[in-house]
Amino acid sequence: MADIDVLGVRPERISHRRLACRLGAAMAAALLTTAGIPGGLSAQQDTIHLTLDSVLARVSREHPVTRAGAAGVAAARARAADLRAYPNPTFDVERTTLAQADNVALMQSIRWPWEGTALRDVGRADVAAAQADARGARADVLLDAAQRFADVLRDGRTVALAAQAESLAQRALDRTRTARSLGLTGDLSVLQAEVGLDAATRARAAAEAERAASSASLTVLLGVAPGTAIVWTGDLGATAPLAAPDSSLASAAAADPEAAGLVAAAERGTQLARLARARRWPELEVGPAASLEGPAVIGFNLGITLPMWNRQGAALRAGDAERDAALARLEARRRAVAARVDEARARLSSSDRGLAELRRGELARAAQAESLAAQALAQGGPYLTSWLAARQALLDAQHAELDLEWQAASARLELRSLTGTLAPAPAP
C-alpha cells in the first residue's frame, strides 16, 4: 500500500501523538465550519439572564462609583493615620562655618495627650464622613439601576399590549374589507379601519423603541458590552416587596447615609474646636545637645513655644461654626427624608388601592365581557364588532393595570432605597 500524506506532512516525519492531535484539530475545524462558524470562533455571545437582584449585585460589585467610594475611604484613612503620626525631630546647628560647629542639638516636639486624642478623633470623623459619602453614592446608583430595571419590565409588557392592539386592528380591518366586498359597508369604514391599524402599528413601533432605549440605558449602566443579548427577568407587580411599610420612616432616619455624613461633619467640627483648645497650651521641645567649643559637653535642651499671639481663637470659632452648620443641615436633611418617605408611602398606598379597585371592577368586568364576546363569536354570527370592542376595553384596562403596577414598584424601590434595604447583602 502506498504511503498517505496527512495534512501535508510525510508519514515518516510525524509521530503517532502529533498525528492524532492534528487529525482532531482538523475534524473540529471542519465541524465548526460546517456549523457556519468561520475559524472555529463563536460569532455570538451567550445570552445573559438578569433579575433585579443580579442587576443590583452587579452594580454594587462593578460600578465605578463603588471603586471610587472605596478609594475615598482609603484616602481618608491614610489622612487619619497621618494626623496621628508624631512630628519629625529637628536638628539645630549653631555658629556653623565650613570647618567648625559650636553647638548641635536634636529637638523633638512633645504632643500633649489631649491634642493627640483630638487629632485622632478628627481623623475618625473624616473616615466616617468618607464612608457615608461612599454609601450615599452607591445608594444613588443602585436606585437608578433599580428604577431603570422597572422601566424595562414595564416597557416589555407595553410592547406585548401594543402587539395585541395591532393584531386587533388588523382583524378589524380584515372584517371591514370583507363587509365592503359583501356590500354591507362603504369605503369610509375601510379607511377608518386602515387609519386605526396605522395608529396601532405606530404605537407598537414606539413601544419597541422605548423598550430598546430603556434596555440600552440599563446595559450601559451595568457596563455590559454592546450587542450582548440580555433577557430581563422579573414580575413588575412583585418587584421590591416591603416587609413593614409603616416602619419605613424610622428605618430611613437611621439608614440615611447623608445624615450619617452630616453627623460625622458635626463631630469633626467639635473635635477641631477641641484641638484648638488643646493648642492653647505651650508646645514643648526636648532633646540632647552637645557643645563642641573646647572640650565636648553633652547636655539636655528644653524649648517652650508660648502661644502668645495666636490663642487659637479663630480656629476655635471655625470648629464651632462647622459643627453648627452640620447640625443645621442634618435637621434639614431629616425633614427632607421624612417628606420623601411620606410621599413614597402615599404613592404606594394610592397605587395599591387603585390596583385593587381596578382588578375588582373594570379589569374583571372587561375580562368577563371579552370572554362572553369570544364565546359568542365562536358560535358564529355578527359578533365580531362586539368582540373587538370588548377586546379593546380589556387592553385599555390592562394598560391601566400596568401603569399602576409600575407606580407601585417605583414607590417600593424608593422606600427600599431610603430604608437602606435595596442594596444586596454582602457576600459571606
Side-chain angles (χ1 to χ4, degrees):
M1 180 180 295
D3 293 336
I4 300 175
D5 186 7
V6 180
L7 299 178
V9 180
R10 296 190 61 82
E12 63 271 15
R13 296 186 180 180
I14 186 169
S15 66
H16 294 291
R17 179 177 299 177
R18 291 175 62 191
L19 177 60
C21 292
R22 293 195 180 191
L23 284 173
M27 294 175 62
L31 289 174
L32 291 174
T33 303
T34 303
I37 305 178
L41 296 177
S42 177
Q44 296 181 352
Q45 296 178 342
D46 293 337
T47 301
I48 301 177
H49 294 262
L50 293 178
T51 63
L52 177 60
D53 290 339
S54 59
V55 165
L56 295 178
R58 191 179 188 119
V59 170
S60 181
R61 182 178 62 252
E62 301 177 1
H63 197 274
V65 165
T66 302
R67 299 197 301 270
V73 172
R77 286 174 175 162
R79 289 192 295 268
D82 185 63
L83 286 176
R84 294 193 304 269
Y86 225 69
N88 293 323
T90 59
F91 185 72
D92 294 335
V93 180
E94 297 181 4
R95 279 187 56 192
T96 302
T97 65
L98 292 177
Q100 181 180 2
D102 293 340
N103 297 305
V104 294
L106 182 66
M107 304 298 292
Q108 174 65 57
S109 298
I110 302 301
R111 180 178 290 169
W112 297 109
W114 43 89
E115 181 182 2
T117 302
L119 287 170
R120 180 200 62 194
D121 292 341
V122 168
R124 288 180 177 177
D126 287 337
V127 172
Q131 291 173 335
D133 289 343
R135 291 198 307 271
R138 178 169 170 263
D140 290 341
V141 74
L142 285 173
L143 178 59
D144 185 22
Q147 294 286 12
R148 290 175 188 269
F149 184 84
D151 292 346
V152 169
L153 294 182
R154 177 201 59 189
D155 294 342
R157 286 179 54 186
T158 300
V159 169
L161 292 175
Q164 293 181 32
E166 184 183 21
S167 175
L168 190 66
Q170 181 64 57
R171 190 162 185 175
L173 176 59
D174 295 341
R175 172 64 178 175
T176 305
R177 286 174 175 171
T178 302
R180 183 181 62 178
S181 66
L182 297 175
L184 300 177
T185 187
D187 293 337
L188 178 60
S189 298
V190 174
L191 184 59
Q192 290 174 338
E194 289 175 344
V195 171
L197 177 59
D198 291 340
T201 302
R202 186 175 64 253
R204 178 188 54 78
E208 290 178 347
E210 188 70 22
R211 179 185 61 181
S214 60
S215 178
S217 65
L218 183 53
T219 299
V220 172
L221 180 65
L222 294 177
V224 179
T228 302
I230 302 178
V231 176
W232 310 101
T233 305
D235 181 7
L236 189 60
T239 298
L242 289 173
D246 295 337
S247 63
S248 54
L249 183 59
S251 300
D256 183 33
E258 185 171 339
L262 292 171
V263 170
E267 176 63 17
R268 184 178 188 277
T270 300
Q271 296 305 324
L272 286 175
R274 180 185 174 192
L275 179 62
R277 293 188 184 92
R279 287 177 173 172
R280 285 180 168 179
W281 287 72
E283 182 179 350
L284 301 180
E285 290 184 346
V286 298
S291 176
L292 304 180
E293 183 179 4
V297 178
I298 298 177
F300 184 80
N301 271 7
L302 173 64
I304 300 178
T305 302
L306 300 178
M308 295 179 61
W309 316 123
N310 184 5
R311 294 289 296 165
Q312 299 294 319
L316 181 61
R317 292 192 301 271
D320 290 339
E322 184 175 328
R323 177 202 60 210
D324 295 340
L327 291 176
R329 289 196 298 270
L330 176 61
E331 182 180 356
R333 174 62 183 177
R334 285 173 174 168
R335 293 181 184 181
V337 168
R340 288 179 60 185
V341 169
D342 289 340
E343 180 184 359
R345 287 171 58 182
R347 286 191 287 113
L348 178 60
S349 177
S350 175
S351 300
D352 288 342
R353 185 170 58 253
L355 275 171
E357 294 174 356
L358 177 69
R359 288 167 177 168
R360 283 196 310 267
E362 180 183 353
L363 184 61
R365 286 191 289 269
Q368 184 178 9
E370 192 273 341
S371 177
L372 293 175
Q375 293 175 11
L377 181 65
Q379 296 174 1
Y383 297 109
L384 180 60
T385 302
S386 299
W387 178 80
L388 290 174
R391 186 62 183 168
Q392 185 61 52
L394 179 59
L395 286 174
D396 293 341
Q398 289 173 338
H399 271 290
E401 180 188 33
L402 175 59
D403 185 62
L404 287 172
E405 284 185 356
W406 177 78
Q407 293 180 25
S410 298
R412 290 195 300 270
L413 289 171
E414 179 82 6
L415 287 173
R416 288 281 296 270
S417 177
L418 288 171
T419 55
T421 59
L422 183 60

